[in-house]
């Protein structure tokens, strides 16, 4: 079994990243707090982590409405708090790591026997979280959010590289989650077995800081 660094599958994600939103900003609280909405401010330099939400999978499908592609049931991200002003406002984080356990990944694409690895490239990314719960993952200037997927086939291992200009997710204080839905990647290289577009969907929860749940205000 081998775990590869990734993000936004972006990324993925990367990735991918951050915390969760309240309906209204808590007066005097920081954008990111721990323990409760309006609680203790997450400190600059703190590391935020989150696994996939229980019972869910991260998927990279060939279309926004299809079910053909790559499915993983184990993934986690790490991000470092870079700024955390008073709410309402925007906090920023540096997404430094995103891993997918390749042993938990499979593919249902015709001609593909399995998934060797999924790697999110070009890290770190910048994640910006606003008080309304919107999370945006952006690459460094001149770069892209990039994911490399290696698939096993009867003809050997093929490498599929997918890119996106950025990713957008939504946070939710109810379960300290971040959800990415149908975030589109475009194939930049790979064989004909690599689908032309990849649509990334995943829910990460709970987002924690040293074990304490993270909230967005």
């Amino acid at each position: 079994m081998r775990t590869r660094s990734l993000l936004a599958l972006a990324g993925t994600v990367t990735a991918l990243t951050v915390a969760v939103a309240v309906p209204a900003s808590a007066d005097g609280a920081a954008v990111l707090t721990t323990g409760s909405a309006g609680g203790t401010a997450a400190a600059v330099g703190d590391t935020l982590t989150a696994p996939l939400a229980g019972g869910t999978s991260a998927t990279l499908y060939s279309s926004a409405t299809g079910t053909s592609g790559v499915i993983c049931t184990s993934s986690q991200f790490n991000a470092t708090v870079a700024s955390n002003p008073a709410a309402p406002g925007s906090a920023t984080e540096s997404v430094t790591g995103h891993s997918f356990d390749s042993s938990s990944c499979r593919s249902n694409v015709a001609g593909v026997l399995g998934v060797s690895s999924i790697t999110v490239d070009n890290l770190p990314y910048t994640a910006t979280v606003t008080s309304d719960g919107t999370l945006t993952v952006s690459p460094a200037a001149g770069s892209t959010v990039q994911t490399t997927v290696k698939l096993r086939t009867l003809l050997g291992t093929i490498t599929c590289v997918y890119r996106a200009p950025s990713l957008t997710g939504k946070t939710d204080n109810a379960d300290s989650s971040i959800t990415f839905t149908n975030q589109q990647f475009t194939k930049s290289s790979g064989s004909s077995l690599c689908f032309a577009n990849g649509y990334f969907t995943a829910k990460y929860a709970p987002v924690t800081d040293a074990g304490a749940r993270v909230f967005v205000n």
Side-chain angles (χ1 to χ4, degrees), residues 102-180:
S102 58
S103 68
S104 79
C105 301
R106 61 184 175 86
S107 175
N108 56 7
V109 176
V112 175
L113 303 177
V115 180
S116 294
S117 65
I118 301 171
T119 305
V120 171
D121 309 308
N122 303 337
L123 292 170
Y125 299 135
T126 297
T128 302
V129 194
T130 60
S131 291
D132 67 1
T134 301
L135 167 69
T136 304
V137 179
S138 306
S143 185
T144 61
V145 175
Q146 179 173 299
T147 299
T148 300
V149 181
K150 293 188 176 182
L151 304 172
R152 297 190 303 276
T153 74
L154 289 172
L155 300 177
T157 298
I158 62 171
T159 300
C160 310
V161 179
Y162 296 94
R163 291 176 177 171
S166 63
L167 302 175
T168 301
K170 193 68 178 177
T171 67
D172 186 348
N173 276 349
D175 54 1
S176 293
S177 65
I178 301 168
T179 301
F180 297 95

Side-chain angles (χ1 to χ4, degrees), residues 64-106:
T65 57
T67 57
S68 176
V70 174
I71 303 98
C72 297
T73 59
S74 179
S75 175
Q76 178 173 302
F77 77 77
N78 301 312
T80 302
V81 178
S83 68
N84 189 21
S90 299
T92 60
E93 301 157 10
S94 176
V95 181
T96 55
H98 196 158
S99 63
F100 285 73
D101 185 344
S102 58
S103 68
S104 79
C105 301
R106 61 184 175 86

Side-chain angles (χ1 to χ4, degrees), residues 6-105:
L6 183 158
L7 154 95
L9 235 92
T12 170
V13 161
T14 239
L16 22 165
T17 338
V18 240
V20 267
V22 282
S25 299
D27 240 3
V31 175
L32 302 178
T33 57
T34 62
S36 65
T40 303
V44 170
D46 281 3
T47 298
L48 309 183
T49 62
L52 285 177
T56 70
S57 300
T59 58
L60 187 68
Y61 286 150
S62 59
S63 72
T65 57
T67 57
S68 176
V70 174
I71 303 98
C72 297
T73 59
S74 179
S75 175
Q76 178 173 302
F77 77 77
N78 301 312
T80 302
V81 178
S83 68
N84 189 21
S90 299
T92 60
E93 301 157 10
S94 176
V95 181
T96 55
H98 196 158
S99 63
F100 285 73
D101 185 344
S102 58
S103 68
S104 79
C105 301

